[in-house]
Amino acid sequence: MNIQYAQLLNCQVCPQNCRVNRYETTGFCKADYRLKINLAHLHHGEEPVLSGTNGSGTIFFSHCNLRCVFCQNYTISHLGWGTYYNEEECAQIMLKLQEAGAHNINLVSPTQYTPQLVQSIKMAKSNGLEIPVLWNSNGYENVSSLQSLSGLIDIYLPDFKYAHSFYSKKYSSAKDYPEIAINALEEMFKQVGHLQLDSNGIAKKGLIVRHLVLPNRISGTKEVLYMLYEHFGPELALSLMAQYYPTGQANEFFELNRGLRKEEYEEAVETVEALGFKNLYLQQLYNSPEWTPDFQPHSEVFNGKKLHFKGKI
Ligand code: SF4
C-alpha cells in the first residue's frame, strides 16, 4: 500500500480528523475508500474563464467534509448519491471529458478523496491529459493534503464561506472554518499564484476564490473580503456569488429561509469595489434552483455534449 492510501487507514485527510479506517467504516464525510461520482459533464455555468465556449469538464464527487445546511448539491453531498469508480476509471472519465472538448477538468467536492485523486490525476496525465486540472473545493482542507497535490493541480477554485466561527459551526459543522480555510488558501496560492489566462481568455493556472453571499450577513461578507484583500491583495481573482436560495435544510432556519436581497449583494459589490479588487466575477441575482445541475439518484456519468456514458466506462 502506498503512502497515499495509508492515509485512509487512520483518516486525517481533512480537518475533521476523524481517524477512522475507511476500509472498514466511514467518518464525518461518509465516504469510504472508494471514489464515488454522481455526474460528469461539460458545464457551462462556471465563471466564463472556466466554462469558455466548450464547457468545463466537471466531475461531481459524492459526499462532503462539510455539512452546509444550505448546500445546493444536497443530494450528492449529504445523501451521497453516486456510483463507485476506481482510480483508473476516474482517469478515463477525465480523458473522455478532454476528448469532448473540455477546457479543463473540474473536480467538484474532491477533498475527501484527495489520496485517490492524486493517483487518478497521475494516471490521466501519463495517458495524455493535457488540459488544466482544477480543484473546486469548499476550502476546508489540511495544508498537508493540499501539499500532496502540488504539481498536479493547475487551478484552485476554493470557497471562502464564512468570516465567523459561530456561523461556520452552526450552518456547516466546522467551528474552525475561517482559520483553516485561510491557511488552505495560502497553500493553494503558494502552489499556483494569481490567475493566468491563455490567449483565448481561458484560465490556465492560478487561484480563484469564490464567496457566496448569504442572507442576513451570515457569511460575514465584508470581513471575508477584507481578509482576502489583506492576504492576497487586489490582484486576487474573486468570484462574488449571488446565487443563494434556500435549499437542502435551509428552510429549518428562519434566517436562511429566503433568497438574497438586491441590497445585500449590492453591499458586497460596493465593498469589493472600494477595496479595488481587479479580477472580479459578479453574478445577477437569480434565487432559483434552475442553475443547479439536476442530480439523479443513480445517474451514471454523462456529459451534456452528447457523450453519454452509460454505466462504468
Ligand atoms: S476525509 Fe472524511 S473521514 Fe477523513 S477526516 Fe475528513 S471527514 Fe473524516
Side-chain angles (χ1 to χ4, degrees):
M1 180 177 290
N2 73 27
I3 190 158
Q4 299 292 341
Y5 292 103
Q7 292 175 47
L8 301 176
L9 294 170
N10 182 30
C11 191
Q12 297 172 72
V13 167
C14 89
Q16 298 287 1
N17 288 324
C18 301
R19 294 177 178 269
V20 295
N21 180 349
R22 285 173 57 183
Y23 290 90
E24 292 176 353
T25 184
T26 58
F28 180 88
C29 66
K30 303 263 192 289
D32 65 21
Y33 68 96
R34 297 168 293 180
L35 281 168
K36 200 175 184 188
I37 294 171
N38 183 282
L39 175 69
H41 71 161
L42 291 177
H43 190 26
H44 294 274
E46 301 286 40
E47 288 77 357
V49 293
L50 303 176
S51 285
T53 47
N54 299 348
S56 175
T58 308
I59 304 176
F60 289 88
F61 291 95
S62 308
H63 302 293
C64 187
N65 69 326
L66 285 183
R67 200 78 82 232
C68 303
V69 297
F70 50 84
C71 182
Q72 297 183 351
N73 299 337
Y74 186 86
T75 51
I76 62 166
S77 60
H78 288 230
L79 303 183
W81 289 358
T83 304
Y84 293 111
Y85 291 86
N86 65 34
E87 288 76 350
E88 200 179 338
E89 290 166 332
C90 182
Q92 286 171 8
I93 292 169
M94 295 180 198
L95 292 167
K96 289 270 184 192
L97 289 165
Q98 176 174 261
E99 258 175 52
H103 292 295
N104 45 62
I105 298 301
N106 182 348
L107 307 171
V108 183
S109 196
T111 304
Q112 62 279 11
Y113 300 114
T114 305
Q116 299 94 319
L117 285 171
V118 165
Q119 302 307 317
S120 267
I121 297 166
K122 283 181 181 167
M123 285 174 188
K125 283 183 184 272
S126 67
N127 283 292
L129 185 73
E130 290 175 343
I131 55 178
V133 180
L134 193 162
W135 193 258
N136 182 344
S137 73
N138 56 37
Y140 193 60
E141 295 177 273
N142 280 337
V143 168
S144 57
S145 288
L146 290 169
Q147 284 168 341
S148 70
L149 294 163
S150 184
L152 297 174
I153 300 299
D154 303 286
I155 302 164
Y156 280 104
L157 181 67
D159 298 331
F160 191 70
K161 290 177 180 291
Y162 300 97
H164 304 296
S165 56
F166 173 81
Y167 293 121
S168 64
K169 179 169 187 239
K170 183 170 182 186
Y171 302 117
S172 294
S173 307
K175 184 176 166 216
D176 51 2
Y177 180 89
E179 64 262 31
I180 292 279
I182 206 76
N183 287 338
L185 267 56
E186 292 268 15
E187 172 58 28
M188 294 173 186
F189 183 72
K190 200 165 127 195
Q191 291 181 25
V192 297
H194 282 309
L195 180 64
Q196 299 171 34
L197 306 181
D198 68 15
S199 55
N200 296 314
I202 302 296
K204 61 178 184 184
K205 193 174 179 189
L207 173 68
I208 306 175
V209 177
R210 281 179 167 170
H211 176 70
L212 175 67
V213 184
L214 296 175
N216 293 306
R217 295 185 174 156
I218 285 168
S219 45
T221 296
K222 213 172 218 180
E223 295 88 335
V224 160
L225 295 171
Y226 274 91
M227 283 165 82
L228 291 174
Y229 182 87
E230 192 183 310
H231 284 261
F232 306 105
E235 305 292 333
L236 176 72
L238 183 62
S239 181
L240 194 60
M241 305 179 84
Q243 68 189 64
Y244 179 81
Y245 64 93
T247 185
Q249 298 165 308
N251 61 2
E252 294 169 23
F253 299 85
F254 167 78
E255 62 280 20
L256 283 172
N257 197 18
R258 66 163 169 85
L260 193 67
R261 292 191 179 128
K262 190 165 166 274
E263 58 271 23
E264 289 173 314
Y265 191 60
E266 281 172 357
E267 182 182 60
V269 173
E270 278 164 23
T271 306
V272 284
E273 287 176 350
L275 286 169
F277 280 103
K278 296 179 172 68
N279 298 307
L280 267 182
Y281 302 96
L282 302 178
Q283 285 184 323
Q284 303 287 323
L285 274 185
Y286 47 76
N287 300 336
S288 94
E290 71 198 65
W291 296 85
T292 306
D294 181 21
F295 299 109
Q296 300 300 318
H298 304 292
S299 69
E300 302 294 348
V301 171
F302 67 92
N303 72 44
K305 228 189 164 187
K306 299 206 166 78
L307 249 184
H308 192 78
F309 302 153
K310 259 280 189 206
K312 293 198 170 191
I313 296 167

